[in-house]
Amino acid sequence: MASNCVASTSIGCLFCCQGCNAEKLRNDFTFLPPVPSYQVEGAAEGGRAGKLQFVLEALRSFSFYQQAAEHAEVHFVQTGRGERIPVVWVRNSAASTAGSPGGSSRSGQQPLVLLHCHGNATDIGMMMAAYFEMTRQLGCEVVGVEYSGYGASSGKPSACNTLADAEAAYNFVVSSGVPPERIIAYGQSVGSG
């Protein structure tokens, strides 16, 4: 019983030390962005796609991550809250014959696009191997959503920004020619809420 009281008192003190700002306290406990694992080269706002370049040696040294980056392009999108976030589009080279987002597969039907919102202590660079493997195993394309305050994005992480980030990425995929019925939204941890 006493430990619960101490924990409650500690959380209460933390709350007041943060200026009694419940949203800031919630965001500080919920969102823990890692040191960025990548940078984006060659992307232009609303235009030319860029390439993901790993800045963490641990990722740069794995050939599978390099293969994943070769099959991907990065686009920057503006969110409804005014932030600029990168989205990475990883292609399934075996399923897609077109060279642009929303291309058609050999069967003539557009591939499914998995819109992925990653977990808390990662970024889209760290997710590249998983994204690439999903394209190979599932025969789909994967669009990874970066959150405000993570990786190469602007802003600070928050629940409101995360929802705006996912919405902006979804709108980008649709505006790239992918019908909504071909998009599967999938999230992990904070990306599922």
Side-chain angles (χ1 to χ4, degrees):
M1 182 82 155
S3 63
N4 285 343
C5 186
V6 170
S8 296
T9 302
S10 298
I11 290 172
C13 287
L14 243 175
F15 178 69
C16 288
C17 289
Q18 295 288 324
C20 296
N21 183 334
E23 182 177 359
K24 181 176 180 348
L25 186 65
R26 181 183 64 231
N27 291 340
D28 288 347
F29 275 112
T30 304
F31 299 100
L32 304 167
V35 172
S37 68
Y38 68 95
Q39 61 188 16
V40 179
E41 295 188 10
E45 186 80 38
R48 182 179 71 243
K51 291 308 249 177
L52 189 137
Q53 302 291 319
F54 297 107
V55 296
L56 291 181
E57 182 59 36
L59 301 181
R60 234 187 353 247
S61 64
F62 283 103
S63 63
F64 198 68
Y65 274 89
Q66 293 303 322
Q67 281 182 297
E70 290 168 12
H71 286 85
E73 56 190 43
V74 181
H75 299 269
F76 279 93
V77 297
Q78 192 81 21
T79 74
R81 294 180 57 87
E83 303 301 341
R84 182 176 182 258
I85 62 162
V87 294
V88 62
W89 198 310
V90 185
R91 307 215 173 277
N92 178 349
S93 58
S96 180
T97 58
S100 63
S104 61
S105 68
R106 291 185 184 131
S107 68
Q109 188 174 32
Q110 288 183 317
L112 290 173
V113 174
L114 181 70
L115 184 66
H116 185 262
C117 296
H118 61 70
N120 181 24
T122 191
D123 65 21
I124 58 175
M126 293 176 200
M127 294 299 301
M128 288 298 290
Y131 292 164
F132 188 50
E133 188 63 16
M134 282 190 266
T135 67
R136 293 169 25 139
Q137 295 296 320
L138 302 176
C140 64
E141 295 184 353
V142 177
V143 174
V145 180
E146 192 64 282
Y147 304 135
S148 298
Y150 283 68
S153 66
S154 68
K156 294 186 182 284
S158 72
C160 291
N161 278 346
T162 301
L163 293 173
D165 301 338
E167 183 177 25
Y170 174 84
N171 291 339
F172 170 73
V173 172
V174 171
S175 72
S176 296
V178 178
E181 62 271 13
R182 303 294 301 165
I183 301 170
I184 300 168
Y186 173 70
Q188 296 175 292
S189 186
V190 297
S192 64

